[in-house]
Amino acid sequence: MKQRPIGSRTVSAIGLGGMPMSIEGRPDRERSIATIHAALDAGVTLIDTADAYHEHASEVGHNESLIAEALRSYGADTSGVLVATKGGHLRPGDGSWTVNGRPEYIKAAAQASARRLGVDAIGLYQFHRPDPAVPYADSIGALRELLDEGVIEMAGISNATIAQIDEANRILDGRLVSVQNQFSPAFRSSLGELEHCARLGIAFLPWSPLGGITRAADVGARHDAFQTVADDRGASPQQIALAWELALAPIVIPIPGASRPTSIQNSVLAVDIELSRDEIAALSRDA
Ligand SMILES: NC(=O)c1ccc[n+]([C@@H]2O[C@H](COP(=O)([O-])OP(=O)(O)OC[C@H]3O[C@@H](n4cnc5c(N)ncnc54)[C@H](OP(=O)(O)O)[C@@H]3O)[C@@H](O)[C@H]2O)c1
């Protein structure tokens, strides 16, 4: 599998998004573990998760626990796998998503995530979403303390503007390693942040890179150019979407979600699709 850098680590150019295995509509535990094991078999070494990937209020960290269990039961060395989790979002259990960016909350959440993941230090910890009620600098200050105290090895942010990327990197003394924003054929308004990350050499992780759980099946139906290139190459429109994202900049690492083994097995094949300049231009025009 092709590799891409993220901070001091190198990971597979395609990661696995854990959310579909833990929120509404999730599969049973057995299929989720099989999905994570299939990703590992395919050479995936980046798994994205969050403490908020759960359904009921009583099961905070459902996805983190699932990933920890899958890594423990894999039966081979998983020390090269980077588990990237997040804090700052909450799910009260009614289907909604709320935020808490208070520094003391973020610090306690990171400690709890480390315990669930069964690690001394979290490989990559991402501040999930800015909290309008808390100055951004205060939330990022918590990440800085977590880094300095060794609770986390690397720090990232999510759902951030260009100004917030710069502010976070300044507060972290240049130690910001990743930005995770929504980006897909259907949602391109984060292109500016993607290009900013490329200039800074910071990894950019497109979330919902196929358009999201409910729209992922429709990439070809909604975007003619993706269907056309897919037909030309005997690939799927979803694989072309991932190949296009990878082609936009060498810092892009898509994290397609999956809740069945075949989904992630198909997604990783996108790393070997080398799109031509004309194909990339046509795909970039098909908004
Ligand atoms: N930072 C944030 O605020 C934020 C927000 C949302 C998501 N995320 C992260 O980003 C990850 C990805 O986003 P997402 O899961 O919302 O949406 P997505 O990756 O755009 O779509 C996920 C769906 O695509 C299907 N799929 C995956 N690979 C496929 C392929 N090769 N061909 C056809 N279908 C395929 C999967 O189906 P099956 O379920 O049938 O396998 C899955 O349900 C999440 O899992 C999560 O880790 C972060």
Side-chain angles (χ1 to χ4, degrees):
M1 168 98 70
K2 287 190 180 134
Q3 308 285 304
R4 293 210 159 168
I6 179 165
S8 56
R9 300 277 294 264
T10 301
V11 297
S12 55
I14 299 261
L16 170 68
M19 192 170 76
M21 292 180 275
S22 289
I23 66 165
E24 294 79 351
R26 67 193 181 200
D28 62 27
R29 212 166 179 80
E30 197 181 335
R31 196 174 101 196
S32 291
I33 299 285
T35 301
I36 299 165
H37 286 176
L40 298 172
D41 287 346
V44 169
T45 53
L46 172 66
I47 304 180
D48 182 72
T49 182
D51 58 0
Y53 293 167
H54 62 92
E55 184 176 353
H56 308 294
S58 60
E59 50 176 27
V60 174
H62 178 278
N63 198 246
E64 293 175 324
S65 302
L66 197 61
I67 290 165
E69 182 187 337
L71 291 173
R72 274 196 307 271
S73 64
Y74 185 53
D77 181 22
T78 57
S79 57
V81 177
L82 177 63
V83 178
T85 192
K86 315 182 200 75
H89 246 317
L90 292 89
R91 301 209 73 201
D94 58 1
S96 69
W97 297 77
T98 59
V99 289
N100 188 342
R102 292 199 331 274
E104 59 277 18
Y105 170 79
I106 296 294
K107 291 193 69 178
Q111 299 275 7
S113 287
R115 279 195 294 277
R116 279 188 294 269
L117 292 170
V119 295
D120 293 334
I122 295 172
L124 171 59
Y125 194 68
Q126 306 155 99
F127 179 45
H128 208 150
R129 186 179 287 276
D131 179 349
V134 178
Y136 197 59
D138 291 0
S139 303
I140 301 302
L143 280 193
R144 182 189 165 119
E145 287 181 23
L146 288 166
L147 272 176
D148 292 342
E149 292 163 5
V151 179
I152 66 175
E153 288 171 8
M154 299 193 291
I157 55 176
S158 182
N159 300 299
T161 63
I162 289 177
Q164 287 165 338
I165 294 169
D166 288 340
E167 184 178 4
N169 204 23
R170 194 168 54 246
I171 291 167
L172 295 170
D173 293 328
R175 290 178 292 172
L176 179 69
V177 305
S178 65
V179 173
Q180 182 178 143
N181 277 10
Q182 185 175 16
F183 188 80
S184 67
F187 188 96
R188 304 178 185 209
S189 59
S190 285
L191 184 61
E193 285 89 35
L194 185 160
E195 290 170 344
H196 194 61
C197 286
R199 283 191 290 274
L200 297 173
I202 291 173
F204 183 89
L205 280 46
W207 67 253
S208 290
L210 303 176
I213 296 172
T214 56
R215 292 166 56 139
D218 304 335
V219 176
R222 289 173 187 264
H223 303 280
D224 289 345
F226 286 80
Q227 187 64 59
T228 302
V229 174
D231 291 344
D232 287 350
R233 288 179 166 267
S236 71
Q238 290 81 5
Q239 289 169 329
I240 299 302
L242 297 170
W244 168 70
E245 290 161 16
L246 287 167
L248 292 177
I251 46 79
V252 175
I253 308 175
I255 46 167
S259 68
R260 63 189 80 239
T262 49
S263 299
I264 187 64
Q265 286 161 348
N266 286 336
S267 290
V268 298
L269 298 176
V271 300
D272 293 319
I273 300 175
E274 296 284 348
L275 297 169
S276 71
R277 196 178 296 196
D278 287 350
E279 285 173 324
I280 295 167
L283 296 168
S284 293
R285 277 193 304 273
D286 184 358

